[in-house]
Amino acid sequence: MDGYDRSWWTEPFQARVGGLWDSMLGEGRHWWITSTSDSHVNWRDGGSDFWPGEYSKTYVKAEKDYKEIMESLRNGKVFVATGDLVSELDVKAQAGGKSRWYAKSKGNSASIGETLTLPGKKSKDVTVTVRIKDPNAANSHGDQPKVKRVDLIVGEVTGKVEDRSTATNPTTKVVKRFTEKDWKQRGEYIEISYTLKDVDKDSYIRLRGTSTDQLEPEKDPKGENPWTDLWFYSNPIFIKSTK
């Protein structure tokens, strides 16, 4: 299609910070994203589409059991990626804790698709810990793409809007852009830690990353090579304030 990455038609809606998806999240809707592969004519056969899973993929955190996979999909335990940019993504939000990724949690915590409830009535620091696998393996195009940047996005949950045609959330913003100098590289894994200070409002966080230098996803010009424009997105973690 004209616009964003081919065969992943949902990206125009999830790519815009403060756009339609953030508008729904800002109403408190647990609206989850998945990747799609609407394939008609494969690019090898003269078309412009990919086989399902060839370019875009949906990753579900679940045991290899049909019932559990469907339950995890319903609960948003999902991230999506193009071009095999990443193959694992774990995000944890922890209230009042500063422990490392593998340490025992000392405070309330939540992962992708879950809700972190802040303890007490005072504002709390929330530590966000991210672990990403940037695989040393070729994708379907024979490339080995690398993550250049990871963005932490935060928006407020303000409740239902009066105007049902609203498609924006002006509170949503990129609070931190991480590059190689900001993370620890352990083999194929990238580890990131960041603390949100004095969180005192209902909100959500979500992650995205890219192989490009683009600060925001841009429309693909006609004929662009999609394998050089790769992104991944996580579903959100909601944060519930007791104020």
Side-chain angles (χ1 to χ4, degrees):
M1 62 176 289
D2 293 333
Y4 295 83
D5 291 323
R6 291 177 291 177
S7 82
W8 199 14
W9 69 272
T10 58
E11 190 174 5
F13 303 104
Q14 65 204 34
R16 298 187 182 99
V17 173
L20 177 60
W21 186 32
D22 287 313
S23 176
M24 291 188 287
L25 298 179
E27 290 192 75
R29 299 176 184 271
H30 289 205
W31 187 275
W32 314 124
I33 59 169
T34 57
S35 173
T36 63
S37 292
D38 186 18
S39 185
H40 298 279
V41 182
N42 188 267
W43 63 274
R44 295 179 181 84
D45 300 321
S48 60
D49 299 329
F50 303 99
W51 296 124
E54 182 182 6
Y55 180 71
S56 62
K57 292 180 180 178
T58 298
Y59 290 86
V60 184
K61 189 170 186 179
E63 296 294 332
K64 291 184 178 180
D65 173 82
Y66 291 127
K67 183 177 180 181
E68 184 165 338
I69 291 171
M70 291 303 298
E71 193 64 23
S72 290
L73 281 167
R74 293 187 186 100
N75 291 322
K77 298 180 181 296
V78 167
F79 74 91
V80 295
T82 55
D84 293 317
L85 179 58
V86 301
S87 59
E88 295 178 25
L89 174 62
D90 289 301
V91 185
K92 181 175 72 173
Q94 181 175 318
K98 296 182 180 179
S99 61
R100 296 175 63 86
W101 174 261
Y102 50 82
K104 184 178 180 181
S105 173
K106 296 180 180 179
N108 291 355
S109 64
S111 57
I112 293 174
E114 297 178 342
T115 299
L116 169 66
T117 300
L118 300 180
K121 294 184 178 181
K122 295 182 179 180
S123 60
K124 295 286 183 180
D125 292 351
V126 174
T127 299
V128 180
T129 314
V130 183
R131 192 168 188 257
I132 303 165
K133 186 175 183 179
D134 188 349
N136 294 326
N139 59 22
S140 295
H141 193 248
D143 305 323
Q144 293 187 23
K146 293 299 178 184
V147 176
K148 283 192 175 182
R149 195 185 73 251
V150 176
D151 295 335
L152 175 60
I153 300 168
V154 177
E156 293 180 16
V157 176
T158 55
K160 291 184 178 180
V161 296
E162 293 184 8
D163 182 0
R164 305 307 297 161
S165 65
T166 299
T168 60
N169 183 346
T171 71
T172 309
K173 59 185 177 181
V174 178
V175 298
K176 179 66 177 178
R177 299 187 190 273
F178 303 94
T179 59
E180 187 176 7
K181 63 182 178 62
D182 301 307
W183 63 59
K184 292 182 179 179
Q185 188 82 42
R186 302 181 187 277
E188 294 180 292
Y189 288 89
I190 292 169
E191 296 180 355
I192 299 171
S193 182
Y194 185 77
T195 299
L196 299 168
K197 295 291 187 179
D198 299 323
V199 178
D200 61 356
K201 295 179 180 178
D202 291 353
S203 54
Y204 62 89
I205 63 172
R206 60 183 182 89
L207 268 288
R208 73 177 180 192
T210 182
S211 65
T212 75
D213 294 318
Q214 298 173 9
L215 292 182
E216 298 296 329
E218 299 173 1
K219 289 186 177 181
D220 295 342
K222 187 175 182 180
E224 181 189 56
N225 180 1
W227 297 97
T228 64
D229 185 11
L230 306 180
W231 294 79
F232 69 83
Y233 297 86
S234 79
N235 271 309
I237 297 174
F238 287 92
I239 300 174
K240 181 67 175 175
S241 170
T242 53
K243 280 193 173 184

